[in-house]
Amino acid sequence: MNTSKQPAWLDNAIFYEIYPQSFKDTNGDGIGDFNGITEKLDYIKELGCNAIWLNPCFDSPFGDAGYDVSDYLLAAPRYGTNEDLKRLFGEAHKRGMHILLDLVPGHTSVEHKWFRESMKAEKNEYTDRYVWTDSIWEEPQGMGCIRGISDRDGSCAVNFFSHQPALNYGFYKPDPDKKWQQSMDSEGPKATLEAMKDVMRFWLSLGCDGFRVDMAGSLVKHDEDGKGTIALWQNVRGFLDREFPEAAMVSEWGEPDKSLRGGFHMDFLLHFGPSHYNDLFRCAEPFFSSRGKGDVSKFVKKYVENYEKSEKKGLICIPSGNHDMDRLSRGVRGDNLKIAFAFLLSMPGAPFIYYGDEIGMRYVENLTSVEGGYGRTGSRSPMQWDDTANAGFSAAPAEKLYIKQDDSPDRPTVKAQISDENSLYSEIKRLISVRQSHSALQSKGEIEFLYAEKNAYPLAYLRSAGDEKILVIINPAARETNFDCKYLLKEKIYSFGEGVSVNGERITVPPCYAGFFLV
Ligand code: GLC
Ligand code: CA
């Protein structure tokens, strides 16, 4: 695949991730819903985001917040109906916005009809839909398993929690002594893939614009180099090119050289694996800290490696956070939140803003786990809209809310931040509008790092597209820093803070500063 096949709207896409249960409740049951999202589309658009990633919203027992699907074709009733979801797609499109659903192709809930059928002793259509060994006494190596709850004699592999049985896409190199390890091209795995295409077909026909794909890199088993999984996704891309060429795909994979080869348009930098993403915001001494003791160099080295390996086949996307990691504001404080967004919104790839991060919503400490959230629960609390009851999230009694809200008296709200031009919200809005008026800053503009030294500040890089070249200078440290740069600063197009000075090739950068310059 090449970039010309990417849906054009990805060139300047800025995503907003919505965790549906926590965004806006319109019927007073304490849980967010589709109509709530529809009602807030104008808010998202006003901020400057033009695309949405919606976390799983399908029927589910919610043992993993919906990443345990029990019916792929039915919207979870607590969020509304398929019709409500369709209306949401339509309303988004009217505003020039796009919506990606969250596809969970690797596993289902134990309550899915496919799994219940596959647990039966008699052979049936679903017998090979999941990865089963052929004896209860044999566990699938290297994977957890479910055993002892089926009439069928066997253990079923699981992917994540022990109630998420692994769908069967086959083994890259099946062990010939283990008959239950099927090859990718045997009947069972092929039927699983076709069933997943049907799911995609269903929602794309209803109006969704593509998918964020959960654990996309782990479908084929015993596939260390990802070759089998890449081939599988190329097959899916072939199907999409024939039937839904405009469908956009982003993977939770974290290895862009593989995922983009598999036909994904975008891959995430993840908070686990080798990306060094956590060095920026989530570690003992993050780079984005006024203490100025962080180290951005390993992140940049890995980023450049990925950028070169992926040969501009697609986009590497850096999220502000997501439903699986600590809120950005837990590790990054004060002005540094603004500086962090100056970085996030001036990097290549499509930026992803996690709901509430635009107002610096806090990680809610000491919560009991909700729906398999565990430590992630504190990042999933209900959105804080205004100064009415439950911060305008819901009319339900506070104790009925999906997750307890941040109850500190100074909790940030949308209402307060919109009316304050010095708020994080207002800064992000300015940054988005600068990005949207310069193609060098957008998804496909190229990047060259000019200064990203070990244990040193600032960070400086050049973004370019056509004749436009923009120098970005980021200094989270509360001390003046400097670097050498051969480019001549022509015009400032954005800054947080003032006072960059140039002496020959030496640029001196004030404390806690971010600036973009045409060069
Ligand atoms: C992904 C999701 C996470 C979920 C897991 C299992 O990492 O982002 O929330 O628990 O997959 O589906
Ligand atoms: Ca509701």
Side-chain angles (χ1 to χ4, degrees), residues 21 24-34 78-80 393-394:
Q21 46 273 62
K24 172 71 188 171
D25 172 24
T26 56
N27 64 352
D29 64 355
I31 298 180
D33 42 54
F34 296 134
R78 72 185 197 182
Y79 301 139
F393 162 68
S394 166

Side-chain angles (χ1 to χ4, degrees), residues 104-312:
V104 191
H107 46 266
T108 66
S109 150
V110 280
E111 291 181 21
H112 197 292
K113 177 187 135 205
W114 299 346
F115 188 65
R116 285 198 263 106
E117 290 297 312
S118 91
M119 284 202 294
K120 291 183 177 162
E122 316 80 61
K123 199 166 168 52
N124 63 55
E125 192 186 338
Y126 302 100
T127 300
D128 294 328
R129 179 75 32 117
Y130 297 82
V131 180
W132 285 90
T133 67
D134 47 22
S135 154
I136 186 78
W137 310 120
E138 180 175 2
E139 293 179 30
Q141 289 164 329
M143 295 173 261
C145 70
I146 300 176
R147 51 211 300 237
I149 64 164
S150 63
D151 292 339
R152 173 180 186 160
D153 186 8
S155 311
C156 183
V158 298
N159 270 353
F160 194 69
F161 288 144
S162 53
H163 55 72
Q164 287 161 316
L167 284 161
N168 181 21
Y169 295 93
F171 285 70
Y172 187 57
K173 281 194 184 128
D175 179 342
D177 295 333
K178 296 192 158 79
K179 284 275 168 303
W180 57 269
Q181 295 191 359
Q182 304 176 348
S183 67
M184 289 176 67
D185 58 4
S186 44
E187 288 311 309
K190 277 193 337 209
T192 308
L193 185 57
E194 290 313 307
M196 209 43 70
K197 288 180 191 167
D198 282 342
V199 172
M200 300 174 82
R201 215 174 251 125
F202 181 85
W203 292 109
L204 289 165
S205 304
L206 219 70
C208 94
D209 298 290
F211 300 94
R212 174 268 186 185
V213 179
D214 187 65
M215 294 177 65
S218 61
L219 298 193
V220 177
K221 302 306 178 196
H222 293 183
D223 180 27
E224 262 121 71
D225 301 330
K227 291 200 179 109
T229 306
I230 292 170
L232 180 149
W233 285 112
Q234 285 171 340
N235 174 328
V236 171
R237 191 64 244 173
F239 139 72
L240 291 173
D241 284 344
R242 283 188 301 279
E243 298 183 31
F244 302 95
E246 283 296 302
M249 301 286 285
V250 54
S251 49
E252 184 197 32
W253 194 321
E255 293 177 277
D257 55 318
K258 295 179 182 164
S259 52
L260 304 181
R261 230 183 314 141
F264 281 95
H265 303 113
M266 310 175 258
D267 191 14
F268 284 115
L269 273 191
L270 298 175
H271 56 295
F272 51 88
S275 72
H276 284 279
Y277 168 76
N278 288 345
D279 297 3
L280 303 176
F281 316 116
R282 294 171 180 83
C283 65
E285 290 292 352
F287 179 72
F288 286 93
S289 158
S290 56
R291 283 191 301 272
K293 292 185 178 162
D295 180 12
V296 78
S297 65
K298 295 196 196 87
F299 167 82
V300 169
K301 186 163 175 275
K302 197 73 205 171
Y303 183 91
V304 170
E305 216 175 285
N306 277 326
Y307 187 72
E308 281 167 3
K309 272 200 283 187
S310 58
E311 298 164 340
K312 307 196 182 89

Side-chain angles (χ1 to χ4, degrees), residues 360 395 427 435:
E427 201 64 44
R435 181 180 174 102

